[in-house]
Amino acid sequence: MVFPPGTDNISYASIESDTDTSSYPSDNELTDTEADMEQFNWEVIKTFTDELRTSIDNYGSVVPCVNGTYLDDALWVTNYTVECSNVREPLMQLKSSTYWHDRAQDSFLTLFPGRHFNNHYQIRCFVLEHELVCIEQLFVHENFEFMAKDAHGLVTLLKQFSVPIVNLDTPKAIFDVTISRELTDPRLVDIYPFGAVADGLIHLEDVYHFYYTRVKDGIEPRDKVDMDIIDGVLVVFVGCNASRLKKHAWCPKDVGNISFSTPDDLIDYLRFQTSESS
């Protein structure tokens, strides 16, 4: 699905007033300041919004992705879920995400069925010289029930699943996969040329570094991560001290870059916040 011209110029007021009108305010309920704003002409992108609505009707929910990049820096507008269940939510994510606005006219939007993401782990895998070299957690807001050092079952499953991919004619590739919480039912979401998608938790150069050295020393991730080597594969998860502000465009009441030495410290902090607000 290609973005029609002007999609990146949609205002928040227009989204609130003009989409899913049975659930959200109408233009007549806008404030005087908002009413003075030029209203967005939805007819220009009617085909686009109709396709969004059709996909949501077919799948129940969708997960938008732009050029291989998910919009999870904008989850504060959709209650911290990548799944969108009405037309308003993907539009709000597109409006709020900072990932794609500088290349709006060259972007392609893909809508994946939400059922493949709900209650699943989302993993990005790196194949270099026909070998599964690295896997990383795709969405920073997800809570994995185990640490990188305990990812033996996950690595074993991904090695088996990636056999057809590592045997492709191309020696290197990146692919996204979802796996159930029971470590079953792996599903290929998409596959990309090496270097075609933006860096996630670690830089692409770090993947090369690990392939040639087979050690973690010298790897400089984009944020604090939980990293280990399991059966020859570099496993990179979000660390307990990671700052969500480095990933999210904006987030109210975010703990920011407060440092927590252990998960228990974070739990104590959240308990304190809860008691203060009660």
Side-chain angles (χ1 to χ4, degrees):
M1 183 185 298
V2 182
F3 286 110
T7 308
D8 52 328
N9 294 323
I10 300 174
S11 68
Y12 282 108
S14 295
I15 297 174
E16 289 286 357
S17 63
D18 294 332
T19 59
D20 297 309
T21 53
S22 61
S23 303
Y24 296 95
S26 67
D27 284 343
N28 295 331
E29 295 171 321
L30 294 176
T31 64
D32 292 339
T33 302
E34 292 169 334
D36 291 338
M37 296 173 58
E38 181 179 354
Q39 295 299 309
F40 185 79
N41 182 10
W42 289 98
E43 287 299 318
V44 175
I45 62 169
K46 184 178 185 303
T47 301
F48 177 71
T49 54
D50 285 348
E51 289 181 10
L52 284 177
R53 185 173 288 105
T54 298
S55 296
I56 292 171
D57 289 343
N58 288 340
Y59 300 128
S61 65
V62 296
V63 175
C65 177
V66 179
N67 293 6
T69 299
Y70 298 90
L71 309 179
D72 56 321
D73 65 327
L75 297 189
W76 55 275
V77 298
T78 52
N79 198 27
Y80 287 96
T81 175
V82 295
E83 293 182 70
C84 299
S85 56
N86 57 57
V87 174
R88 175 182 178 272
E89 290 176 344
L91 290 175
M92 289 292 283
Q93 284 192 11
L94 289 167
K95 175 65 180 176
S96 305
S97 173
T98 60
Y99 288 155
W100 68 282
H101 284 190
D102 60 341
R103 54 184 186 277
Q105 302 308 318
D106 300 317
S107 296
F108 292 84
L109 174 66
T110 304
L111 299 175
F112 296 109
R115 62 176 177 268
H116 297 330
F117 291 79
N118 187 17
N119 200 32
H120 282 63
Y121 300 118
Q122 295 86 30
I123 303 292
R124 176 156 287 174
C125 304
F126 299 83
V127 172
L128 189 55
E129 299 303 328
H130 301 288
E131 177 186 350
L132 181 63
V133 174
C134 174
I135 66 173
E136 71 172 1
Q137 180 177 341
L138 196 53
F139 300 143
V140 299
H141 70 287
E142 289 289 336
N143 178 29
F144 283 20
E145 291 85 0
F146 53 91
M147 300 181 69
K149 66 182 180 64
D150 302 315
H152 296 274
L154 180 64
V155 170
T156 298
L157 180 62
L158 286 172
K159 278 194 168 186
Q160 296 170 349
F161 178 78
S162 65
V163 169
I165 299 174
V166 300
N167 288 330
L168 292 174
D169 290 338
T170 178
K172 51 188 178 180
I174 298 173
F175 66 95
D176 295 341
V177 60
T178 64
I179 299 174
S180 74
R181 296 281 170 164
E182 295 76 27
L183 297 184
T184 60
D185 192 29
R187 292 177 179 268
L188 180 66
V189 176
D190 212 339
I191 186 167
Y192 318 96
F194 218 69
V197 292
D199 288 336
L201 293 177
I202 64 173
H203 300 281
L204 195 61
E205 291 81 359
D206 293 328
V207 179
Y208 280 106
H209 174 84
F210 174 74
Y211 174 77
Y212 289 111
T213 65
R214 301 295 169 164
V215 297
K216 297 183 294 181
D217 297 342
I219 293 178
E220 298 181 357
R222 294 164 59 87
D223 203 347
K224 296 176 182 177
V225 298
D226 172 26
M227 183 166 53
D228 214 324
I229 301 173
I230 304 296
D231 196 15
V233 176
L234 182 66
V235 178
V236 185
F237 291 165
V238 174
C240 62
N241 288 334
S243 168
R244 287 185 293 154
L245 285 179
K246 292 187 178 181
K247 181 74 172 180
H248 290 278
W250 179 80
C251 175
K253 298 182 180 179
D254 200 308
V255 296
N257 57 3
I258 297 176
S259 179
F260 300 102
S261 299
T262 68
D264 288 338
D265 291 342
L266 174 58
I267 293 172
D268 289 340
Y269 171 82
L270 294 175
R271 284 174 177 166
F272 174 77
Q273 292 292 95
T274 303
S275 63
E276 284 289 291
S277 60
S278 60

